Amino acid sequence: MESDPIRGGHRRRKRRVRVVGGCAMAVLLVVVVVVVVVTAVVLSNRTDTFKATFIQECERRTPENTSTDCVEVWSAFEQAYVGRDPCQVPPEAYDHLLSVAPPQPACNRMLFWSGTKEVAHQVSEGCYQTMEDSMLGSVLDGMTWCGKEGSNETFTSGCPGWTECVNNPVRSFWSRASAEFAAVACGDAAVLLNGSSDTPFDPHCTFGSIEVKNFTPGLMKSLTVVLVTKDNVGANCTDESLKNLQKELKPGMKYICKEKTESELLTCKKNQDQSCVPCW
């Protein structure tokens, strides 16, 4: 029987459709595989880069006379947040990290700040130690990181912001590390407060809500409050909020208050010799 040319042609078109459809599926499968592979490589590179930077900075900032193992420090660090909901990482998640790499006290040279980060770091350079000058603080200052449930990767983007949720990895780290930094403060410490603020001592900021509450009686002898203003415009040592600060200090801790303009502090620092005489 002769084949029906019309039906035969129809069957051929179907075969072509099947072939084209099969090719399309194959191409799609290849694209999916490539995307998955590329994504995995990107995630892996992202984790590897962050890890390499962390360990490198850890080694660079660790004193030679200590036995800190920066690979161990990294392991303790990532254990706090990897594989976890980035809004469910409480401060205590970093307890192990702080036991492996605790802040080292610098008696009579520990400097705290609130609303004065830039000037505090300029004044502290080479003479005082802020939380950001500690090993972990210096490594992680300005960094963003988080994990995701079901993943063993470290992410440096797409992480919750500081105020997006309380228990995010970055905020929790600074809360826990700041508490530990304050707990080892010894001798005479100082804090630079923003005298241009309506509330120089803010009980809701890190200094007011965490650090002051963790000062150790007997270990820390005094706290010098330096009110930093612009051109003598702003609060002075009689500010009402400072009375609240005095109430927060543990019995036996001496309270001192001084007023300085930002330009006075920076000029003093610029002209300071190697003696590190306080600029307040």
Side-chain angles (χ1 to χ4, degrees), residues 135-148:
M135 188 277 284
L136 285 175
S138 61
V139 170
L140 294 171
D141 189 25
M143 302 289 279
T144 297
W145 67 91
C146 67
K148 303 288 183 185

Side-chain angles (χ1 to χ4, degrees), residues 51-262:
K51 177 181 178 179
T53 300
F54 182 102
I55 293 176
Q56 181 180 16
E57 288 300 303
C58 170
E59 292 174 341
R60 187 169 74 87
R61 297 174 185 276
T62 298
E64 294 182 358
N65 60 342
T66 63
S67 58
T68 301
D69 182 340
C70 289
V71 174
E72 182 184 1
V73 175
W74 164 260
S75 178
F77 171 66
E78 66 173 354
Q79 283 175 25
Y81 64 87
V82 164
R84 302 180 69 165
D85 181 327
C87 279
Q88 297 296 325
V89 181
E92 55 267 26
Y94 291 97
D95 283 355
H96 179 53
L97 171 66
L98 271 299
S99 69
V100 172
Q104 300 301 311
C107 294
N108 304 315
R109 296 191 299 109
M110 299 183 79
L111 181 64
F112 299 85
W113 58 268
S114 181
T116 56
K117 181 176 181 179
E118 185 175 346
V119 65
H121 287 171
Q122 288 178 290
V123 172
S124 70
E125 186 176 0
C127 290
Y128 297 90
Q129 180 172 292
T130 66
M131 172 59 214
E132 293 77 17
D133 294 318
S134 67
M135 188 277 284
L136 285 175
S138 61
V139 170
L140 294 171
D141 189 25
M143 302 289 279
T144 297
W145 67 91
C146 67
K148 303 288 183 185
E149 287 185 295
S151 171
N152 62 355
E153 302 291 342
T154 291
F155 298 86
T156 55
S157 61
C159 299
W162 186 270
T163 59
E164 189 172 334
C165 53
V166 174
N167 288 327
N168 69 71
V170 176
R171 182 169 179 170
S172 288
F173 165 76
W174 288 107
S175 294
R176 182 66 187 86
S178 294
E180 195 69 17
F181 182 74
V184 300
C186 48
D188 302 316
V191 58
L192 269 58
L193 298 182
N194 185 357
S196 299
S197 170
D198 292 337
T199 311
F201 173 67
D202 183 350
H204 304 294
C205 69
T206 299
F207 177 71
S209 65
I210 296 175
E211 291 172 329
V212 169
K213 298 180 184 302
N214 281 280
F215 289 151
T216 305
L219 191 60
M220 186 172 139
K221 297 178 180 178
S222 71
L223 177 69
T224 297
V225 173
V226 183
L227 275 181
V228 184
T229 60
K230 299 278 189 181
D231 303 321
N232 285 316
V233 177
N236 57 42
C237 286
T238 62
D239 189 89
E240 189 67 26
S241 71
L242 298 183
K243 295 179 182 179
N244 296 327
L245 170 55
Q246 293 179 64
K247 293 176 183 177
E248 289 287 345
L249 293 179
K250 308 293 193 309
M253 290 185 186
K254 186 178 180 181
Y255 171 86
I256 304 166
C257 183
K258 298 185 178 182
E259 301 160 10
K260 290 288 181 180
T261 66
E262 184 174 319

